[in-house]
Amino acid sequence: MGAFYHGLLLGMTILLVPEYEVKSNRESGLGRYNLAIYPTRREKCGVILEFN
């Protein structure tokens, strides 16, 4: 079930491209992020998401 939620949120981030670069780390746990959203311009904020 976790791969479904992970895939769903990853798919939703497609709307952020090209303003952001989205990186997925499917091997979560032990302090690793699931999704990292990096801005392509320095004046914007990034986001790191970890799902439990």
Side-chain angles (χ1 to χ4, degrees):
M1 193 73 143
F4 171 74
Y5 291 133
H6 183 92
L8 176 66
L9 290 173
L10 182 60
M12 290 172 57
T13 61
I14 196 70
L15 298 172
L16 300 173
V17 175
E19 298 271 337
Y20 291 86
E21 178 182 353
V22 179
K23 293 188 178 182
S24 172
N25 182 5
R26 294 206 52 182
E27 296 190 25
S28 61
L30 300 175
R32 297 187 185 119
Y33 65 86
N34 292 98
L35 288 177
I37 303 170
Y38 299 99
T40 55
R41 297 185 350 212
R42 293 186 75 121
E43 62 270 5
K44 296 203 175 213
C45 294
V47 178
I48 296 176
L49 300 168
E50 184 174 344
F51 315 127
N52 292 322

